[in-house]
Amino acid sequence: MEERHRRVNVDNVPPRLGEFIIESLIKVAGFSSIGFVVLIFLFLLREGIPVFFEVEPANLFSTRWYPTFGLFGTLPLISGSVLVTLSAIIIALPLGVATAVFVREVAPNWVREILKPLIEVLAGIPSVVLGFFGMTLLAPLVRKALGMPTGLTAFTGALVLAYMALPTIISVAEDALDAVPKSYRDAGLAVGATQWQTIWRVVVPAARSGIVTAVMLGMGRAIGETMAVMMVTGNAARMPLTIDSLFRPVRTMTATIAAEMGEVAAGSVHYHALFGIGIILFLLTFTINLTAAATIFKKRRRGGLR
Amino acid sequence: MTYRRTGTKHYTLTRKFSRLVLLLSLSLTLLAACRPQRDHQGYTDAEVIENKGSDTLVNLALAWAEKYMEENPQVRISVTGGGSGTGIAAMINGTVDIANASRAMKQEEIEAARANGITPVEFTVARDAIAIVVHPSNPVERLTLQQISDIYTGKIVNWAQVGGEDRPIVLLSRESNSGTYLYFLEHVIRLGDPESDLLFSPETLLMPSSEGISAEIRQNPNAIGYDGLGYVTPDQKLVAVARDPYSPYVLPSIETVNDGSYPISRPLYMYTAGEPQGEIKRYIEWILSEGQAIVPELGFVPLK
């Protein structure tokens, strides 16, 4: 008893206090990050919900976005965001998966050592730099190559976004390929399949759910991107209904919020409408992330192919 | 027994500690709450004037602030952009002393100010002419206001219809609630008719910045744009504008804006919360007199 007491007193009490401090700091940090997300969401709701009462649904879901004149049709903005994001993913998916396969399965070790950090660097390029690049170099190229009236189009935006989503897609897809057990490859090669057949028929399908997650995360990155999109898509709030719409200007939800928030009178209908768009955007990204999370969850339950 | 006592000691320690944390965070909050006031009153050697608003005006406001601080080192003026609406909102909330605006205050903003017990006072501090710009290779030299209106509403879609080459017209505009956009809509597209409900064509490209407009104008021979005269770079071509087909076509310049012959020009404003006092009053008086000398250097038009 006496010995135990001494041990407690000398060794355990000071560390316990230190531990307690550190533990509570970590707890506060952890809970506050959750708290901030909840607070942000509540703020978004508080500022955005009024628009659904102030503007009739027929106006809110019409095709004309002239917020300074009481026309709050969000359809061109939603469809603009969807068009640009989907096109970006269609461009980025094959490129990203092919790069991941190359880096993980084909490239010799030293090439992989060079490529992987380079891909990480790609993720670190500020979007405004990419936007400027797209505006001054890519847009004239697109205009001349396609013979369209202007190079500031949904397609240009999709190209820039694809480039921005690539690092995410490559890293996550590469992790997924990495988690495919070596025995799968060995089995493929052992039954006489070529390396290509093994990769394409065995390894990639085995990593499918991880690749789906990669695409979802890339999409989440793309739909929320603002600066680059605002600089290269031309921001014309037109409905992308015709076939050539991909090669015409569009206006996305993010660009609308970013461009108009600065000049809007706080508390006005327009202000609420911008936060309303924020809610719609939040719901979209939330759905995408939820789908990605569900894929991961399903995959884990099935027994651990990442 | 002894063991339990240590336990209690530990408990009181943590209690003390958490009280300390609480006290610390409370005092920090209080400190933070005090800060803005201190900034205004704590300086004995320098008076601080906060100036915020219109991006059109921001360069001019900066130039004024720098010159004034050179002449009056006891005053410190901080200038930020962000847009007319942002500046006016900040003035209503009492976080800035002077709001810059490229448009007059809206009725709802004036009401919001009144609700806050503030009567905004308006000063016209300079004039801005809006220039119509095209690609340097575009042969079109001149347009009437009616033609510009038809181009921007989508009635005229090809340069051949206004004497140019057979090319589609690409419309460029500033963002939809910049002061420049509203002014252009009311005075050019609607030709100053308050009954008119004409709007920009949905095909109009809304550019987030002046740089966005000039970059597209420089590289796209199809494009037409408008922007403040102060922001037009030499590699864009200015178009001469006439009020109607029988009036002379006039290129925008400081002279033609001041003598009233150039048809698209507008006043720029500064707003204060109530009649300005003390250093703010002296600053605004300086802007309206000596300050006008540097206005032309920034491409704006000084008051006569």
Side-chain angles (χ1 to χ4, degrees), chain A residues 7 13 25-26 50 54 62-63 89 91 98 121 152 159 165 169 195 200 210 213 219 223-224 252 272 275 283 291:
Chain A
R7 212 185 62 215
V13 170
L25 280 180
I26 292 173
E54 289 164 346
S62 73
T63 58
I89 288 304
I91 298 167
V121 169
L152 300 171
L159 284 179
I169 296 184
Q195 193 188 10
W200 192 239
T213 313
M219 205 190 266
I223 200 169
T252 64
H272 292 148
F275 276 98
L283 291 179
T291 322

Side-chain angles (χ1 to χ4, degrees), chain B residues 152-203:
Chain B
Y152 268 94
T153 49
K155 255 191 239 166
I156 296 178
V157 294
N158 195 301
W159 281 111
Q161 289 169 272
V162 288
E165 295 163 351
D166 178 22
R167 288 174 169 283
I169 299 180
V170 171
L171 307 169
L172 305 180
S173 161
R174 289 299 302 277
E175 265 300 340
S176 69
N177 40 6
S178 84
T180 320
Y181 172 99
L182 270 186
Y183 179 81
F184 189 81
L185 182 92
E186 282 167 6
H187 291 86
V188 180
I189 293 184
R190 295 182 174 174
L191 299 166
D193 175 7
E195 301 291 304
S196 165
D197 58 355
L198 290 173
L199 289 171
F200 279 88
S201 153
E203 303 285 335

Side-chain angles (χ1 to χ4, degrees), chain B residues 14-286:
Chain B
T14 56
R15 271 291 286 272
K16 259 189 195 161
F17 176 71
S18 58
R19 270 196 206 144
L20 197 74
V21 168
L22 198 73
L23 202 76
L24 256 172
S25 52
L26 262 177
S27 49
L28 273 175
T29 326
L30 276 174
L31 263 177
C34 290
R35 238 188 57 201
Q37 273 188 326
R38 273 186 165 192
D39 275 349
H40 277 282
Q41 298 170 353
Y43 282 104
T44 44
D45 53 338
E47 186 95 17
V48 181
I49 300 176
E50 299 276 349
N51 184 195
K52 182 177 185 158
S54 162
D55 287 322
T56 313
L57 252 167
V58 73
N59 285 344
L60 181 57
L62 265 175
W64 273 332
E66 277 165 14
K67 191 84 183 288
Y68 190 75
M69 285 190 284
E70 232 169 69
E71 293 172 12
N72 304 274
Q74 82 283 5
V75 185
R76 289 180 35 204
I77 304 166
S78 82
V79 179
T80 35
S84 303
T86 315
I88 290 168
M91 189 266 292
I92 293 170
N93 295 333
T95 52
V96 302
D97 304 302
I98 304 173
N100 303 331
S102 55
R103 57 168 169 82
M105 270 176 87
K106 289 178 190 161
Q107 197 54 43
E108 55 196 303
E109 288 167 335
I110 293 173
E111 275 157 23
R114 291 230 176 91
N116 255 11
I118 287 170
T119 320
V121 180
E122 177 185 291
F123 299 90
T124 305
V125 291
R127 282 179 188 284
D128 181 19
I130 290 181
I132 308 293
V133 287
V134 293
H135 190 268
S137 75
N138 192 324
V140 173
E141 299 278 345
R142 47 189 217 174
L143 294 165
T144 63
L145 283 182
Q146 183 64 53
Q147 281 173 322
I148 299 171
S149 166
D150 288 346
I151 287 173
Y152 268 94
T153 49
K155 255 191 239 166
I156 296 178
V157 294
N158 195 301
W159 281 111
Q161 289 169 272
V162 288
E165 295 163 351
D166 178 22
R167 288 174 169 283
I169 299 180
V170 171
L171 307 169
L172 305 180
S173 161
R174 289 299 302 277
E175 265 300 340
S176 69
N177 40 6
S178 84
T180 320
Y181 172 99
L182 270 186
Y183 179 81
F184 189 81
L185 182 92
E186 282 167 6
H187 291 86
V188 180
I189 293 184
R190 295 182 174 174
L191 299 166
D193 175 7
E195 301 291 304
S196 165
D197 58 355
L198 290 173
L199 289 171
F200 279 88
S201 153
E203 303 285 335
T204 311
L205 277 65
L206 301 184
M207 311 304 279
S209 64
S210 292
E211 173 52 28
I213 291 190
S214 55
E216 179 72 358
I217 289 284
R218 268 198 294 273
Q219 58 92 3
N220 191 343
N222 305 323
I224 182 170
Y226 68 88
D227 207 349
L229 188 54
Y231 290 91
V232 176
T233 47
D235 46 8
Q236 304 172 52
K237 180 177 167 185
L238 292 165
V239 176
V241 181
R243 273 201 178 79
D244 52 66
Y246 314 105
S247 306
Y249 289 86
V250 183
L251 277 167
S253 70
I254 289 160
E255 294 76 42
T256 55
V257 173
N258 260 335
D259 66 20
S261 57
Y262 186 70
I264 326 170
S265 76
R266 63 171 172 172
L268 300 171
Y269 304 100
M270 279 189 172
Y271 285 94
T272 56
E275 279 298 334
Q277 303 293 330
E279 206 52 66
I280 301 172
K281 181 173 183 219
R282 273 195 290 282
Y283 181 47
I284 290 200
E285 279 170 357
W286 177 86

